[in-house]
Amino acid sequence: RLFYDRMNQAIARSRRRKTNAALLFVDLDRFKHINDTLGHEIGDLLLKEVANRLAGSLRDIDTVCRLAGDEFVVLLTDIAEVGDAAVAAQRIIDSLSAPYMLKGHELSVTISMGISVFPSDGQEGGFLLEKADIAMYRAKTLGRSGFEFYKDDMSLDAHQRLGLEHELERALERGEFRIFYQPIVSMESGKVFGVEALVRWEHPERGLLSPADFIKVADQSGLLVPIGLKVLEESCAQAVKWQEWRGPDLPLAVSVNLSATQLKHPDLASEVTRILRNTGLEASNLVLEVSEGTIVEDVQSASAILERLKSLGVRLGMDDFGTGYSRLLDLNRLPVDFLKIDHSLVGGLEGDREKMAMAAATVALAHALGLRAIAEGVETSQQLGHLRGLGCDLAQGHYLGEALLPDVAERTISFIDRYFP
Ligand code: C2E
Ligand code: MG
Ligand code: MG
């Protein structure tokens, strides 16, 4: 309440003196993770220390307030120009980024900050706070430890997001998600090794939407968890049908993608267990794909979760490899079975010596670590030929087959089984 009062005073004063005021919305990145792993006592101490540092990096006339949880707001009054807010923001980031010593734990945190300015972004405190929050959100999605000034198009984004979230909720209730299956082919046997389950949204007005149009918002709003469970459930059930159809000599693996949020969800392992039991799919026929970027974000906790999943008997793949800057030493410790070479390394492989060398190195790396390499996004017979020449184990891409609904996918699978070159 004091903060709102100060904010209104500052606005009134700025209006009178024709100066600016700025609102800085500060949010700690991954505070929940710190709380979860080191405990609430350390979490509390961290918040206190953050508050001290915030107060210490401001002038006497500025106000700092803890709004909720790990959210702080800073009010800069009587600033001459907007650039001064940027200087203050950077000073705060520098101060908060220095290591923390808390009960023998050395911690470092990064923060995301959004800034709104009076009078250009709004005339009223509540609006300014909302806009600083929107800008903070943008800062977070752009990467860690930085600040963003509010811009009008962000608001539109926020508005559209909200609409999309509501639509996604409704789509989940109405069952508008469809799973398409793309074959993954063994280079050695020429048989289909498995399929990757790829979700699509059959939107009542906009038609079939690809994951690029909705996965990110679904993920950020938490909706990808229930959507993902449906994908897992349905594709495991489908895989069981295909096992029966192809017979015991030709098992068919089904690969399902997991986002960072899905991976971190505390119920994941128990849900996977439940789904395997209910559908009767053998655990080894399920491959869970996690992208390299998700893993490097927090190798330690990812590795613990992957170990837990691995103990259920499922297999694991590192997706989009080559885009996430893995430490090779970490890679060696992760319990993954497959390395999926990102399509950006596969596309245009023919006639590009550097890409060829990188693909060759990736296949060699996979093999050195005892993993199988899967090339994704194979679009031409030349690419397929080169990859085979490099010893790449498995391939997936439009050249072999697109992602298709079960009936059509089944025809493609039997076609490849019979005629793969
Ligand atoms: P991903 O897991 O790397 O999937 C491969 C993507 O490459 C798919 O795009 C696939 O359709 C596309 N692709 C396959 N072959 C070719 C090719 O020859 N050329 C080109 N240009 N593209 C090819 P899609 O289906 O749009 O999926 C995009 C991403 O969305 C996936 O990338 C995955 O990260 C995510 N995704 C899809 N379904 C799910 C899901 O059920 N859950 C989660 N968490 N993520 C999903
Ligand atoms: Mg994938
Ligand atoms: Mg991929």
Side-chain angles (χ1 to χ4, degrees), residues 319-320 342 376:
D319 206 349
D320 311 317
D342 191 64
E376 62 176 22

Side-chain angles (χ1 to χ4, degrees), residues 192-195 232 243 250-258 263 272 276 281-290 305-319 334-339 370-372 374 394:
V192 175
F193 159 83
V195 289
L232 199 58
Q243 311 301 332
L250 275 180
L252 190 92
V254 63
S255 302
V256 177
N257 294 285
L258 296 176
L263 190 71
V272 170
L276 289 173
L281 184 69
E282 210 169 296
S284 61
N285 284 331
L286 176 61
V287 180
L288 297 172
E289 290 190 3
V290 181
I305 299 167
L306 294 178
E307 288 289 358
R308 172 91 184 83
L309 292 170
K310 184 77 192 171
S311 73
L312 305 178
V314 304
R315 289 189 277 177
L316 302 169
M318 190 185 277
D319 206 349
L334 292 166
V336 292
D337 305 276
F338 303 97
L339 215 59
L371 315 179
R372 289 207 268 170
I374 308 180
L394 301 146

Side-chain angles (χ1 to χ4, degrees), residues 49-301:
E49 181 58 21
V50 165
N52 283 335
R53 291 189 192 182
L54 270 173
S57 48
L58 299 170
R59 302 167 300 173
D60 289 343
I61 54 166
D62 300 325
T63 302
V64 57
C65 156
R66 176 170 169 230
L67 269 193
D70 60 343
E71 293 175 352
F72 294 86
V73 274
V74 173
L75 176 64
L76 305 177
T77 53
D78 266 338
I79 53 174
E81 47 184 313
V82 175
D84 295 347
V87 174
Q90 192 55 54
R91 199 167 54 230
I92 290 173
I93 289 179
D94 292 343
S95 150
L96 296 189
S97 319
Y100 295 75
M101 275 305 294
L102 304 170
K103 290 215 151 177
H105 293 275
E106 185 175 323
L107 278 185
S108 53
V109 299
T110 60
I111 62 162
S112 302
M113 193 192 301
I115 307 174
S116 65
V117 175
F118 171 87
S120 53
D121 293 332
Q123 303 282 329
E124 196 266 321
F127 278 136
L128 288 171
L129 197 59
E130 192 180 310
K131 291 181 169 174
D133 186 21
I134 289 171
M136 184 281 292
Y137 206 88
R138 174 61 63 92
K140 227 182 235 314
T141 57
L142 285 178
R144 301 209 157 113
S145 250
F147 62 86
E148 286 293 312
F149 279 94
Y150 172 79
K151 290 186 208 70
D152 273 334
D153 61 347
M154 292 179 182
S155 197
L156 188 68
D157 280 3
H159 194 72
Q160 282 172 340
R161 264 181 72 90
L162 218 58
L164 187 55
E165 276 182 34
H166 288 314
E167 274 196 298
L168 280 165
E169 269 171 40
R170 216 176 37 203
L172 191 61
E173 279 164 23
R174 297 184 182 172
E176 290 170 3
F177 295 104
R178 304 280 170 265
I179 307 176
F180 283 55
Y181 299 88
Q182 183 175 37
I184 301 174
V185 182
S186 157
M187 301 264 211
E188 200 199 342
S189 69
K191 304 283 184 220
V192 175
F193 159 83
V195 289
E196 177 169 9
L198 295 158
V199 71
R200 307 280 179 262
W201 176 9
E202 202 171 301
H203 192 283
E205 285 116 45
R206 290 155 68 201
L208 202 63
L209 301 182
S210 79
D213 299 319
F214 63 89
I215 282 279
K216 215 168 143 195
V217 172
D219 198 25
Q220 287 165 351
S221 63
L223 283 165
L224 195 53
V225 170
I227 296 172
L229 281 182
K230 279 213 159 29
V231 172
L232 199 58
E233 213 150 24
E234 199 178 316
S235 52
C236 286
Q238 181 60 55
V240 168
K241 286 187 202 155
W242 278 333
Q243 311 301 332
E244 288 160 9
W245 164 63
R246 276 176 117 212
D249 297 338
L250 275 180
L252 190 92
V254 63
S255 302
V256 177
N257 294 285
L258 296 176
S259 73
T261 327
Q262 289 176 276
L263 190 71
K264 282 185 218 137
H265 197 281
D267 296 340
L268 177 63
S270 59
E271 289 292 345
V272 170
T273 310
R274 178 183 64 82
I275 289 169
L276 289 173
R277 186 169 3 95
N278 288 355
T279 57
L281 184 69
E282 210 169 296
S284 61
N285 284 331
L286 176 61
V287 180
L288 297 172
E289 290 190 3
V290 181
S291 92
E292 184 186 20
T294 298
I295 293 174
V296 297
E297 205 176 281
D298 185 349
V299 180
Q300 279 201 342
S301 65

